[in-house]
Amino acid sequence: MAIQRAASNDLDKRPNNTMKTIDKALFLLGFFSLDTPEYRLSDLARAANVDKATAMRILGSLSIGGLIEQHPETKKYRLGTAVLHLARLREASFPVVSVIQPILDALTLEVGESTHACLFAGSAMTTIAIAEPQRPTRVYINPAEALPLHATASGLAYLAHVPEAMQKNLIKRIDFKTHAKGTVRNKAELMDKLEETRLNGLAVSWRSFEDEVTGIAAPIFDWHGKVQATLSATCISNRLTDKALLGTKVAVLKASQKATQAMGGASPVQTHVATREQR
Amino acid sequence: MAIQRAASNDLDKRPNNTMKTIDKALFLLGFFSLDTPEYRLSDLARAANVDKATAMRILGSLSIGGLIEQHPETKKYRLGTAVLHLARLREASFPVVSVIQPILDALTLEVGESTHACLFAGSAMTTIAIAEPQRPTRVYINPAEALPLHATASGLAYLAHVPEAMQKNLIKRIDFKTHAKGTVRNKAELMDKLEETRLNGLAVSWRSFEDEVTGIAAPIFDWHGKVQATLSATCISNRLTDKALLGTKVAVLKASQKATQAMGGASPVQTHVATREQR
DNA sequence: AAACAGCGTTGATAATAATGAAACAAAAGT
DNA sequence: ACTTTTGTTTCATTATTATCAACGCTGTTT
């Protein structure tokens, strides 16, 4: 016993303080996405690689809780109305969106480009707030599109500041799909980018997700200095002069700091060098 | 203390096609509310009558899933950002709020009073959308306030159309607190009100939640003919002439039918008697 | 028509996970 | 200073869940 504990158990990750059944339920929940907003039982079971019967019982419980609901004719499952309630509750008691929105508005006004804020969800970034400038030409941000970690400034900004263990885990699962000319192609390139992002305090993705777009993103931290969200400006690349770029960077950085502060949080402190010294 | 807990809620139901662990997790989730948006471990465990250790493991799993999060200094738990993501997803793939909102807007324009839509959540109705008229005097609807079932038109409209078994269950737990002069005081009164609501197809609560306010609410049904939401107008009582009342009733009823239809749903059909008998 | 293939659902048992009392250090109150 | 309470871990016992095959369906193919 003592030997096991000392020797081999470091490698086994044994978070004994969770419940596997609940983990599995949340795992299934994670399969609902924009591309696949509803599932038949068998399809979901197959996708998640769990037994049909198990999946059904899990979904049964989630249904009772209202987190998902089932169309009685097609038998398909989808997210339920309870999530609307929960989100409303969360936003009423600890506003995030409504705190960030005015910051985005101000930023957009200042830099004259579309801006948005993202949360990390599952394996990609999802937009939670958007502001658009009045200019006739501007980048349209699809509010529901999932933004891949490796191909967007938001993703890089997030990934660069995430705890090391989780970072490794996430990177392992990146598909490195090429979205545009400037998309990062492999892990080595990505690591360089992340290092650069950490040094600069913000990520610049030049034509990496869409060809005409340059994204400039900075992390938003919570009380603990953990990345909680990102804030970014998406600019039309060919009107971004060096001077404009610099100005935008500064503005984005300032806005992200304001957001960090507004979210109730401690300041990022020195993220530049020592991101690891947290314990 | 009272024996309340002995009749330990819905947890002792035994439908074999659910998972008790997940039920318990969702049960805990339900304790987060506007009044108590965050909990310390022991407090939540006590409130839910669950062992500390169990509560901790459940919360651990929910935290990993992002449904809740923990402030590392105060150790308090609260709803997490994942709910924001899920709500966004649900709304993007199956819009409810954005479908109902224009209906509310039109209704408000027509009747000149504040209107709102509610979902049932836990033990009360919660608002998911609001429209306010331009008039200088109007009812202010607190978007985050929970509306008790017995004291609001929305609650009555919901309760009147809910399946009988659930109705009994819900009524059993009503506290019959008096909120205003017209609040329903006991079960007998309530049953009368519900019968009347079913007959009329809508609920009218005259000064039952706040003294100057009359609420007029109608149910919104889903594909199955199940109540999913309610839609109501909250009027300033003393400017509600008989004629205005009638007009508002008709308008609310029409709007609720439009909402039912717009939500993708089958028509209400005859759930009990005929819904057409309103005058 | 009949056989087939896939679906959602159910039940029984082996395998696993959850439970709760006790014990602990560290905070928080007094 | 002391007492109480909190979050956390451990461990033997108990209860829950995974699994697999089988069922009744519906729609499709032979």
Side-chain angles (χ1 to χ4, degrees):
Chain A
M1 295 156 62
I3 303 174
Q4 287 181 348
R5 184 159 230 279
S8 70
N9 267 4
D10 289 350
L11 298 178
D12 296 354
K13 42 177 177 180
R14 32 180 324 190
N16 204 0
N17 45 351
T18 67
M19 299 207 138
K20 310 202 174 180
T21 308
I22 300 173
D23 294 340
K24 228 169 284 181
L26 300 184
F27 179 61
L28 285 194
L29 248 200
F31 277 81
F32 293 90
S33 73
L34 245 211
D35 303 318
T36 53
E38 53 181 357
Y39 280 95
R40 290 185 331 204
L41 176 58
S42 298
D43 293 332
L44 180 54
R46 232 188 322 267
N49 200 34
V50 289
D51 193 87
K52 275 193 303 181
T54 301
M56 200 187 84
R57 285 160 190 149
I58 292 175
L59 292 172
S61 279
L62 292 177
S63 292
I64 289 179
L67 286 193
I68 66 167
E69 62 192 20
Q70 186 180 24
H71 187 124
E73 280 179 25
T74 67
K75 300 278 189 181
K76 284 187 179 178
Y77 295 92
R78 47 149 108 162
L79 292 174
T81 48
V83 301
L84 302 178
H85 168 64
L86 291 175
R88 220 154 211 280
L89 212 54
R90 153 85 198 202
E91 194 57 19
S93 40
F94 305 102
V96 177
V97 176
S98 47
V99 157
I100 289 182
Q101 188 65 57
I103 295 175
L104 287 181
D105 292 341
L107 178 60
T108 284
L109 203 64
E110 183 179 353
V111 305
E113 296 279 4
S114 298
T115 60
H116 64 149
C118 291
L119 290 177
F120 174 75
S123 63
M125 307 301 294
T126 53
T127 303
I128 57 164
I130 299 176
E132 296 196 344
Q134 294 296 358
R135 310 171 75 162
T137 61
R138 64 203 186 204
V139 176
Y140 168 70
I141 300 165
N142 183 342
E145 187 175 23
L147 305 176
L149 289 177
H150 70 290
T152 62
S154 304
L156 295 174
Y158 180 80
L159 207 47
H161 294 278
V162 107
E164 202 170 338
M166 190 173 181
Q167 191 186 85
K168 277 183 121 168
N169 222 316
L170 290 175
I171 291 176
K172 207 177 300 173
R173 287 189 282 166
I174 291 179
D175 61 359
F176 289 107
K177 180 181 168 194
T178 297
H179 292 267
K181 294 176 201 163
T183 308
V184 169
R185 282 158 208 286
N186 53 52
K187 189 176 168 186
E189 259 183 65
L190 179 62
M191 297 310 287
D192 284 351
K193 263 286 189 190
L194 292 183
E195 184 59 28
E196 184 190 325
T197 298
R198 264 188 300 268
L199 285 174
N200 295 340
L202 42 70
V204 179
S205 79
W206 187 74
R207 303 179 183 204
S208 75
F209 189 55
E210 299 190 49
D211 274 328
E212 302 84 8
V213 175
T214 296
I216 300 168
I220 300 176
F221 298 93
D222 65 8
W223 352 260
H224 215 182
K226 226 181 91 191
V227 219
Q228 269 285 31
T230 62
L231 187 155
S232 53
T234 51
C235 311
I236 295 183
S237 295
N238 55 25
R239 73 177 173 211
L240 204 61
T241 61
D242 283 359
K243 191 181 158 197
L245 177 61
L246 182 60
T248 306
K249 278 180 172 180
V250 172
V252 166
L253 203 59
K254 271 191 188 164
S256 77
Q257 286 162 357
K258 210 191 296 180
T260 289
Q261 201 178 339
M263 266 186 59
S267 61
V269 245
Q270 333 87 307
T271 52
H272 295 358
V273 191
T275 39
R276 22 169 66 198
E277 230 68 52
Q278 58 176 4
R279 272 176 32 109
Chain B
M1 299 229 29
I3 320 169
Q4 280 185 335
R5 270 279 150 237
S8 148
N9 330 359
D10 315 297
L11 280 180
D12 46 9
K13 285 251 175 191
R14 309 212 62 198
N16 203 5
N17 46 349
T18 66
M19 301 211 136
K20 307 198 177 183
T21 309
I22 301 173
D23 295 341
K24 227 170 284 183
L26 300 184
F27 179 61
L28 284 194
L29 248 200
F31 277 81
F32 294 90
S33 73
L34 248 209
D35 303 319
T36 51
E38 53 182 357
Y39 280 94
R40 290 185 333 213
L41 176 59
S42 299
D43 293 333
L44 180 54
R46 212 165 317 134
N49 199 33
V50 173
D51 192 87
K52 273 192 306 181
T54 300
M56 201 188 76
R57 294 187 274 242
I58 291 176
L59 292 172
S61 280
L62 291 176
S63 292
I64 289 180
L67 287 192
I68 65 167
E69 61 192 24
Q70 186 181 25
H71 188 120
E73 280 179 24
T74 67
K75 299 276 191 183
K76 284 186 180 179
Y77 295 92
R78 47 148 108 163
L79 291 174
T81 50
V83 302
L84 302 179
H85 168 64
L86 291 175
R88 223 154 206 279
L89 212 54
R90 151 88 198 202
E91 196 55 19
S93 40
F94 304 103
V96 177
V97 175
S98 48
V99 157
I100 289 181
Q101 187 67 56
I103 295 175
L104 287 181
D105 291 342
L107 179 60
T108 284
L109 204 64
E110 184 181 350
V111 305
E113 296 279 4
S114 298
T115 61
H116 64 150
C118 292
L119 291 177
F120 174 74
S123 63
M125 306 302 294
T126 53
T127 302
I128 58 165
I130 299 176
E132 295 197 346
Q134 292 296 358
R135 313 170 71 162
T137 60
R138 64 203 186 204
V139 177
Y140 168 70
I141 300 165
N142 183 342
E145 185 175 25
L147 305 177
L149 289 177
H150 70 291
T152 63
S154 304
L156 294 175
Y158 180 81
L159 206 48
H161 295 278
V162 106
E164 202 171 339
M166 191 175 180
Q167 190 185 86
K168 274 183 121 171
N169 221 314
L170 290 175
I171 291 177
K172 207 176 298 171
R173 287 190 281 168
I174 292 179
D175 61 359
F176 289 107
K177 180 182 168 194
T178 297
H179 293 266
K181 292 176 200 163
T183 309
V184 169
R185 280 158 209 284
N186 53 52
K187 189 178 168 187
E189 258 183 67
L190 178 63
M191 297 311 287
D192 283 351
K193 263 285 190 194
L194 293 183
E195 185 58 28
E196 183 190 326
T197 298
R198 265 190 299 269
L199 285 173
N200 295 340
L202 42 69
V204 178
S205 79
W206 187 73
R207 305 180 179 201
S208 76
F209 189 56
E210 297 190 52
D211 275 327
E212 301 83 9
V213 176
T214 297
I216 300 169
I220 300 176
F221 298 94
D222 65 8
W223 352 259
H224 217 178
K226 229 181 87 190
V227 220
Q228 269 285 34
T230 61
L231 187 155
S232 53
T234 50
C235 311
I236 295 184
S237 296
N238 55 28
R239 73 179 172 208
L240 204 61
T241 61
D242 283 359
K243 190 180 158 196
L245 177 62
L246 181 60
T248 307
K249 278 180 172 181
V250 173
V252 166
L253 202 58
K254 273 191 186 162
S256 77
Q257 285 162 357
K258 209 191 298 181
T260 290
Q261 201 178 339
M263 267 186 59
S267 59
V269 246
Q270 61 270 62
T271 47
H272 267 77
V273 196
T275 45
R276 38 171 82 160
E277 296 281 338
Q278 27 78 14
R279 27 184 173 245

